[in-house]
Amino acid sequence: MFIDLRDRSAVLQIVVDPKSIPAAIRVGLQDCIRAHGTLRERPEGQRNNKMITGDVELEVDELEILNRSKVPPFVVESEVKASEELRLRYRYLDLRREPLRKAMIFRHRVVSAMREYLNAKEFIEIETPILTRSMPEGARDYLVPSRIYPKKFYALAQSPQMYKQLLMVAGFERYYQVARCLRDENPRHDRQPEHTQIDIEMSFISEDDVFKLIEGMFVHILKSVLDQNIKTPFPRFTYAQAMEKYGSDKPDLRLGMELRSYIDVFKEKDFVPFKAEYVSGIIIPGAYNVSRKYLDELNEKAKKAGLAGVYWTRKDEKYSGSIAKLIDESIAKQLNLRAKEILLLVSGNTKALAFLGEVRKDLGRSQIKDDKGFNFLWVQDFPLFEIDETSGKLIPCHHIFTMPKQEDMQYLETEPLKIRGRQYDLVCNGNELASGSIRNHIRLIQEKLFEYAGMDPGKYTMLLDALDFGAPPHGGIAPGIDRIVMILAGLQSLRDVIAFPKTTTAQGLLEGIPDEVSPEQLKELGIKFEGLI
Ligand code: ASP
């Protein structure tokens, strides 16, 4: 009899003779067994090159069933047909499948490489509290009622942000932590209510130091887990450049089709829609075979996004499309289109750039053939504040602890929207992998920023007070581990790299959460539900 025996490392074929070991007949799928025997080479012709242990097998002389398994609710194989809901409900079985097992081990290797690298650079790992004060950093807090102090709450840390700054004030200079971050955000397909960062903070540094450190960390990770070399330094773009060239603050450099300004090309034409802040366009290669229907759909989409629509021309024998009539000899020369290429233009404010950025991404991604390379880049100099579309209020673009750029300090008292922050994002293949900033170590500046954002400085006294005690200049960054592992492993879902993830609707199907609690527990906490509930 042959049995496929699986452990953490692989599957091994074992060979048992039921005549001498009758227990073999009773072994069922997913049972836990102990086998002892002699490892031997498989006879020629019986080798299986699809298994890493395919050249050998174990000839068993002792076999014991340690524990029986019920019939699993789905077949535990690499390729499963079972729904993700069912697999999440029985996650411990799902984790027995090779792709997930491999992903967990891969994740461990990535995190080990991060730690190795930072330890070698004399960083020290310090843990900070999960149970903290409600100090929203951008998302909603998860609140934890206190039993001992009725009507009072703890909050789960959204990140170690303030604590790591306090560690700098305490003089630790170089800190890191594999940190869990808990944020009560609206569910989205690529978001988890809790995620893990490699949280980093340093004193006496500038942007260049952070970039160099993180570039070195990725060189080390890629070399040690994938044996790949990457080129450093990573290209750098300001936020404004990234928007103008790619229509995105997390551009995917693999896609080509860079945005260009066509404002000067059509300047002489009296075409009202092109009298705008931006007239930008991308050239869609003929090979993409973009249909008329697609262009019509884009036009509708653009209108829904608050733009006037899209304008396009295609070059065949003649120019066709909505702006064909604008194209004279001089313009044709400047456009320099090749046969079958389509020039797609959008006009308006920065929304026009973002719209083109989305089109570029949709079209470009569907054309990527070789998905192996990693294109890292930095985006920096983001606006410090932006206007929140729903509330109309000023909100920090990254977080409120970011220091304004020196040359924009002049706007600090008067025009907050003009201030650029010393903030930077690390981007890879269109994904934001890390975000960080140089912080405010001067109390007055930090207080001013709280005021603009309508945040109560009284809630943040723990940080503000500390800044008064000789706080060193400092800054940091926090690469997101889940996303990094997902991208390096070439996987599509964050849930594939998290041992016990929540669903896209923030439920834990394994735990059955969120769940009600007993009336006694509520009473102890002094909680009563009213109104809708
Ligand atoms: N605490 C920040 C975040 O979680 C990262 C940082 O600025 O270091 O996004």
Side-chain angles (χ1 to χ4, degrees):
M1 274 182 68
F2 297 107
I3 297 174
D4 278 345
L5 180 62
R6 181 192 58 239
D7 76 1
R8 190 178 83 179
S9 55
V11 172
L12 175 69
Q13 173 167 290
I14 67 172
V15 192
V16 208
D17 180 357
K19 274 197 234 104
S20 48
I21 305 178
I25 296 169
R26 290 188 289 120
V27 175
L29 280 177
Q30 305 301 319
D31 283 355
C32 178
I33 64 170
R34 181 181 71 83
H36 178 272
T38 312
L39 195 69
R40 65 175 190 209
E41 279 197 52
R42 292 197 202 181
E44 218 39 74
Q46 289 183 27
R47 301 194 170 181
N48 180 348
N49 60 14
K50 293 208 182 84
M51 289 170 82
I52 54 168
T53 60
D55 287 345
V56 292
E57 59 192 6
L58 187 80
E59 193 184 1
V60 174
D61 52 38
E62 263 177 51
L63 186 138
E64 186 186 353
I65 300 176
L66 298 173
N67 203 356
R68 290 226 167 260
S69 169
K70 290 210 309 204
V71 177
F74 57 88
V75 189
V76 182
E77 275 173 0
S78 292
E79 301 291 327
V80 274
K81 293 206 180 65
S83 68
E84 196 180 14
E85 282 73 25
L86 187 65
R87 290 189 288 118
L88 285 173
R89 160 81 182 77
Y90 294 94
R91 186 64 165 177
Y92 43 87
L93 296 181
D94 205 21
L95 286 166
R96 288 183 184 174
R97 296 191 307 113
E98 185 173 327
L100 279 180
R101 201 169 74 234
K102 276 194 171 157
M104 291 307 122
I105 296 170
F106 184 79
R107 180 180 177 124
H108 162 74
R109 291 176 57 215
V110 171
V111 176
S112 304
M114 289 172 169
R115 284 198 158 111
E116 264 160 35
Y117 175 80
L118 292 168
N119 292 343
K121 298 260 176 225
E122 296 185 6
F123 280 73
I124 56 170
E125 182 163 13
I126 305 179
E127 287 164 77
T128 56
I130 291 288
L131 223 42
T132 184
R133 187 188 171 83
S134 174
M135 300 176 284
E137 276 176 41
R140 216 174 272 110
D141 279 328
Y142 277 111
L143 296 175
V144 182
S146 160
R147 178 182 55 82
I148 305 173
Y149 302 97
K151 296 191 187 164
K152 303 233 159 134
F153 290 82
Y154 304 92
L156 303 183
Q158 291 192 19
S159 87
Q161 184 61 37
M162 249 158 294
Y163 290 107
K164 67 173 169 175
Q165 292 194 238
L166 296 184
L167 288 172
M168 294 305 108
V169 180
F172 285 100
E173 285 177 39
R174 289 171 167 235
Y175 140 96
Y176 82 90
Q177 177 184 192
V178 175
R180 196 60 64 80
C181 302
L182 300 119
R183 302 177 187 180
D184 186 3
E185 292 182 287
N186 287 333
R188 227 175 48 188
H189 95 101
D190 62 347
R191 201 181 258 166
Q192 286 277 317
E194 43 186 313
H195 71 267
T196 314
Q197 296 178 339
I198 180 99
D199 195 48
I200 296 172
E201 197 77 3
M202 294 179 278
S203 293
F204 314 110
I205 47 121
S206 68
E207 286 83 342
D208 283 345
D209 299 295
V210 178
F211 293 178
K212 213 165 144 209
L213 177 86
I214 297 299
E215 286 166 1
M217 185 167 94
F218 277 93
V219 168
H220 178 70
I221 297 171
L222 269 112
K223 189 73 205 165
S224 53
V225 304
L226 295 174
D227 196 24
Q228 268 195 36
N229 297 310
I230 43 165
K231 264 205 355 231
T232 58
F234 302 154
R236 296 179 191 181
F237 297 90
T238 64
Y239 169 78
Q241 285 167 340
M243 288 307 292
E244 277 167 26
K245 206 160 169 194
Y246 304 103
S248 166
D249 60 1
K250 38 180 191 294
D252 190 334
L253 299 187
R254 299 169 303 174
L255 310 182
M257 289 188 291
E258 287 172 12
L259 276 62
R260 243 191 71 193
S261 170
Y262 287 86
I263 214 156
D264 288 341
V265 178
F266 291 97
K267 178 166 79 211
E268 306 295 321
K269 299 282 159 186
D270 215 11
F271 190 54
V272 180
F274 286 180
K275 308 284 170 232
E277 187 184 352
Y278 293 103
V279 178
S280 284
I282 55 174
I283 295 174
I284 306 171
Y288 287 19
N289 279 325
V290 159
S291 67
R292 182 66 192 251
K293 184 165 159 259
Y294 177 79
L295 292 164
D296 290 344
E297 281 165 10
L298 277 188
N299 199 41
E300 289 313 307
K301 243 194 196 163
K303 286 184 181 157
K304 279 203 190 107
L307 301 163
V310 297
Y311 308 90
W312 61 273
T313 182
R314 177 182 150 118
K315 184 172 173 198
D316 293 294
E317 248 83 282
K318 289 195 302 193
Y319 290 91
S320 56
S322 57
I323 51 162
K325 60 180 184 310
L326 297 181
I327 301 174
D328 56 26
E329 215 173 295
S330 136
I331 290 184
K333 217 164 156 199
Q334 294 177 68
L335 297 184
N336 199 18
L337 292 185
R338 283 179 292 199
K340 296 201 170 79
E341 279 182 341
I342 294 176
L343 170 67
L344 181 79
L345 293 169
V346 182
S347 65
N349 55 16
T350 44
K351 274 192 191 153
L353 301 177
F355 181 82
L356 276 179
E358 282 300 313
V359 177
R360 174 180 178 270
K361 202 166 80 187
D362 281 354
L363 280 175
R365 288 245 168 117
S366 63
Q367 301 290 326
I368 291 182
K369 302 230 160 50
D370 172 20
D371 214 1
K372 296 269 171 337
F374 301 109
N375 287 268
F376 290 94
L377 63 120
W378 293 104
V379 181
Q380 60 188 130
D381 299 352
F382 286 77
L384 196 58
F385 291 109
E386 58 192 354
I387 303 269
D388 180 35
E389 295 229 330
T390 31
S391 66
K393 283 194 189 140
L394 223 50
I395 50 166
C397 226
H398 176 39
H399 60 47
I400 197 70
F401 310 106
T402 303
M403 181 185 270
K405 273 180 83 80
Q406 187 57 37
E407 56 267 48
D408 294 349
M409 284 289 187
Q410 50 174 321
Y411 306 120
L412 191 59
E413 293 298 330
T414 47
E415 290 175 279
L417 279 171
K418 276 202 177 160
I419 308 174
R420 287 162 304 160
R422 293 180 68 182
Q423 182 206 330
Y424 32 82
D425 280 3
L426 176 67
V427 175
C428 177
N429 296 356
N431 298 280
E432 182 194 307
L433 293 192
S435 218
S437 63
I438 304 298
R439 328 292 186 191
N440 295 297
H441 60 287
I442 308 288
R443 180 176 186 141
L444 273 177
I445 301 177
Q446 186 59 65
E447 279 178 336
K448 186 83 208 163
L449 300 187
F450 280 136
E451 191 188 305
Y452 275 132
M455 293 162 85
D456 174 9
K459 289 225 177 265
Y460 301 85
T461 38
M462 112 179 174
L463 175 70
L464 290 172
D465 286 351
L467 297 183
D468 277 341
F469 291 94
H474 60 284
I477 188 161
I481 292 180
D482 309 311
R483 181 147 299 140
I484 291 170
V485 174
M486 177 182 89
I487 289 166
L488 296 188
L491 295 169
Q492 306 303 325
S493 162
L494 288 175
R495 295 186 296 283
D496 289 344
V497 296
I498 299 174
F500 299 104
K502 308 278 186 288
T503 63
T504 43
T505 50
Q507 287 175 303
L509 299 182
L510 171 69
E511 307 88 337
I513 48 171
D515 192 17
E516 287 165 12
V517 294
S518 70
E520 291 76 32
Q521 284 173 301
L522 287 177
K523 199 163 167 228
E524 263 182 344
L525 295 168
I527 292 181
K528 230 192 238 157
F529 291 116
E530 287 182 345
L532 283 177
I533 311 157

